[in-house]
Amino acid sequence: MATLHSAPRFTKIEGLKDTLAKALGDHLVEAIEAHGELLLHVKRDRVEDALRILRDNHEYQQLMEIAGADYPARAERFEVVYMLLSVTTNSRIIVKCRANEDTPVPTVTTLWPNAGWLEREVFDMYGVLFAGNTDLRRILTDYGFEGHPFRKDFPLTGYQELRYSEELKRVVYEPVQLAQDLRQFDFMSPWEGAEYVLPGDEKAATPPVAEPKTTAKPADTGAGAKADAKAAEKVAAKAPAKKKAATKKAAAKKPAAKKATAKKPAATKAPAKRKPAAKKKDAE
């Protein structure tokens, strides 16, 4: 039996762009509708006010996620992305603003308490500052970690590595030391043709042998009547010896059968019957 729900599986966003753009007013920079989603770009210093309007007036009650993005070529390289959900209308929208390393974004912990953890993650991974967040600390990396791993200019190998030292009985930080040079990948498909020789293809360019070796005669392969005769002699000479040895070993392994030593019970003689004594005749 199919279960029916009152809320639709997908909410159409037709007309939603104009409605929300009119509600945000001068807080909005641009509104983009693509791929069935609505993206609202708001001013950085107005992001708290814009999200408050969407929460209170348009029923976007839940802050589902705060993410970051890095575009190093831009003047304001970072984007802070807020993902909102309306439980009432089953609608999701995306709100974003731009920032830089030295331009803090107003915190939205005044609107959603879970924003504290999400802002800490964006700060840890990208280095974006959030003005008003009273607990802006690293959340995924360690306290002594340097740099922000999700930035495009962050090296793939990092600057330091940490390990537990048995001698010092604590975690220690050391500069990264690679056992081999960092390999550079060109992402070129070998089927399309690489500009260098791939490992294992060194022999592909060698010319074929002029006169390939053949084994036309049995003598070239080590076979023949003489070889067969010698093999037969060795088998005939060793086969009986192996059988005898095998039978001896098998006999030695078998335990000797124990003889039955049960004693027969001793025959008991029946007591001899006494003959009745002859009656003496009274002599007269």
Side-chain angles (χ1 to χ4, degrees):
M1 180 178 178
T3 304
L4 301 178
H5 297 278
S6 58
R9 294 183 60 187
F10 301 100
T11 301
K12 297 181 180 180
I13 60 174
E14 295 178 1
L16 185 61
K17 173 182 175 182
D18 298 334
T19 302
L20 297 182
K22 183 178 179 181
L24 294 177
D26 58 350
H27 301 336
L28 184 67
V29 176
E30 64 176 346
I32 303 173
E33 183 178 338
H35 307 292
E37 295 180 344
L38 178 61
L39 189 148
L40 303 173
H41 181 196
V42 300
K43 298 178 181 178
R44 181 182 62 256
D45 54 349
R46 304 287 184 86
V47 64
E48 182 183 2
D49 298 332
L51 294 179
R52 189 186 301 275
I53 293 172
L54 295 174
R55 187 196 67 174
D56 297 343
N57 300 342
H58 296 274
E59 300 177 332
Y60 286 93
Q61 303 98 340
Q62 295 188 8
L63 173 65
M64 304 304 297
E65 183 62 87
I66 300 179
D70 183 18
Y71 302 91
R74 295 180 181 176
E76 293 181 327
R77 60 183 295 182
F78 302 118
E79 283 187 355
V80 182
V81 184
Y82 304 86
M83 302 170 190
L84 306 182
L85 169 65
S86 173
V87 181
T88 306
T89 61
N90 192 24
S91 173
R92 294 176 184 266
I93 60 174
I94 301 173
V95 182
K96 70 175 183 178
C97 66
R98 294 183 180 181
N100 210 337
E101 299 179 3
D102 53 353
T103 54
V105 178
T107 183
V108 294
T109 53
T110 55
L111 303 177
W112 295 283
N114 66 321
W117 290 76
L118 302 175
E119 289 176 355
R120 285 177 60 182
E121 183 178 357
V122 176
F123 163 72
D124 193 2
M125 297 291 103
Y126 293 94
V128 178
L129 301 175
F130 291 90
N133 190 320
T134 58
D135 191 21
L136 197 63
R137 295 177 292 131
R138 290 186 179 272
I139 191 173
L140 297 178
T141 59
D142 198 54
Y143 296 108
F145 190 84
E146 295 182 3
H148 303 280
F150 279 7
R151 290 188 179 183
K152 298 296 184 181
D153 53 2
F154 189 81
L156 297 178
T157 58
Y159 297 105
Q160 294 180 339
E161 60 182 356
L162 68 156
R163 63 177 180 85
Y164 183 78
S165 175
E166 289 291 345
E167 299 177 356
L168 303 177
K169 301 299 180 183
R170 64 179 179 87
V171 177
V172 296
Y173 289 85
E174 297 175 343
V176 173
Q177 295 180 358
L178 299 178
Q180 60 181 355
D181 295 338
L182 181 64
R183 290 176 291 178
Q184 302 295 333
F185 298 96
D186 55 5
F187 302 102
M188 181 181 294
S189 173
W191 290 274
E192 297 175 358
E195 299 177 355
Y196 52 87
V197 179
L198 295 174
D201 290 350
E202 296 85 359
K203 298 180 180 179
T206 56
V209 180
E211 295 180 0
K213 184 178 179 180
T214 59
T215 55
K217 300 177 181 179
D220 295 337
T221 61
K226 293 182 179 181
D228 295 341
K230 289 182 179 180
E233 290 177 2
K234 292 181 180 179
V235 172
K238 293 183 179 180
K242 288 184 178 179
K243 283 186 177 180
K244 289 181 180 179
T247 53
K248 288 181 180 180
K249 289 181 180 179
K253 287 183 179 179
K254 289 184 179 179
K258 295 182 179 179
K259 295 181 179 180
T261 57
K263 295 181 179 180
K264 294 182 179 180
T268 55
K269 296 180 179 180
K273 295 181 179 181
R274 294 181 180 182
K275 294 181 178 180
K279 294 180 179 180
K280 294 180 180 181
K281 295 180 178 181
D282 297 333
E284 295 181 355

